[in-house]
Amino acid sequence: MTPPGRSLFFIALGLFGLYVVEFGVVGVLPTITERYGVSIAHAGWLVGFFALIVAVVGPLMVLWLSRFDRRKVLVIALLGFGLCSLLSAWATSFSMLMALRVPSALLHPVFFSAAFAAAVALYPPEQATQATARALVGTSMGLVIGVPLTTWIEATLSYEASFYFCALVNLIAAIGLWLMLPAQPSGGNAQPGSVLSVLRKPVVWYSIGATVAIFGSMFSVYSYAAEYLGRITGFSSQTISLLLFVFGIGGVAGNLLAGRLLGRWQAMTVLGYPLTLALAYLLLLMLGSADMGAMLPICLLWGAAHTSGLVVCQIWLGSAATEAPEFATSLFVSSANLGTVCASSISGWFIATWGMPGTLISGWIFAALGVAFILLRIVTGLVYDRQRMQACS
């Protein structure tokens, strides 16, 4: 029997490849604007349009394809990501590049949900949380390292090479999963009544609202990270990729810290998250400059604050719907991507109105909305607990 750790490694690698496909374009947006003659706000829709598709069709795609063997679903999705990345390197127009985002966006929620379900199925029930956390490493790495890595490849080799890299990662993950992951028949036996009962809970909707707002705050700025850093510092593409790599290091540390804090003080950690992110944006505005000594710690803090939003939102939303974990995962994916598409459109409008600092204004507005939704859920939970105690007495 294949050790579960080997299968889990390729699941994590696939999640890394998925997020490199979705967000790798962030690091090459300046080149895309020059190559196709579009504005930076227009180019930002490569992220926003992708996220919109995921947000709209995510749960439906998950429910539809959950009937099939997970290994086949995972491998086919990865091959789809790889093929679209390969063709993107040869796209002759911005419209063609945008169109090639559609198949990957359709397969994104399917792969994400199936990947975590497959990871949990590899281990005994008592190790499910550990398996989920290990698989989440791939997601985190894709978010925090994928962008600076593709930026570095584009700056060092070529624009096309950055897409070849995405294709190669997904191909390796697909081969690894086909060879290492045991066949896993149909994982989707979701009970309609259970799903409906989840959607009737106010705390679920408040958690969805918080996830949308927090991802809106995260990607209001991150979607334009390379362009923003380039404009406020004047650094070269190679130096920007270094700053984004430092951002990624901070993200790894922030994710680990957030995971520990959530295990001890979940509500307070979640409430403190958007405030910490807003603080990082304030430092970026006040201290961002061509001074490398100032930019390194700022990017480190920004990365820690940004990336921990993934685990914060996933655990927060999952804790509101423990009776339907797979459906909760699809809700998280859709909510996160809805926040991302809102960020792309609203932040783009702010850029057009106030220039690149408009991204920070958008980030602060979404952070404030996140705090409001989190407080609503906390208060609703307290009221529910009090009513339950009174009923019992």
Side-chain angles (χ1 to χ4, degrees), residues 321-337:
T322 54
E323 63 271 45
E326 290 191 30
F327 187 66
T329 299
S330 69
L331 290 177
F332 164 73
V333 174
S334 290
S335 302
N337 281 274

Side-chain angles (χ1 to χ4, degrees), residues 100-179:
L100 286 168
R101 305 284 282 170
V102 175
S104 295
L106 290 173
L107 292 170
H108 174 294
V110 176
F111 182 86
F112 190 91
S113 297
F116 280 96
V120 169
L122 291 171
Y123 292 87
E126 63 272 14
Q127 296 184 32
T129 301
Q130 182 182 10
T132 301
R134 288 178 179 175
L136 192 60
V137 170
T139 304
S140 302
M141 293 300 99
L143 284 170
V144 302
I145 295 179
V147 172
L149 195 52
T150 53
T151 304
W152 179 83
I153 291 172
E154 186 268 339
T156 306
L157 299 176
S158 68
Y159 168 82
E160 291 81 5
S162 65
F163 288 100
Y164 296 155
F165 167 71
C166 297
L168 181 61
V169 168
N170 284 286
L171 177 60
I172 293 173
I175 294 172
L177 285 177
W178 184 255
L179 295 176

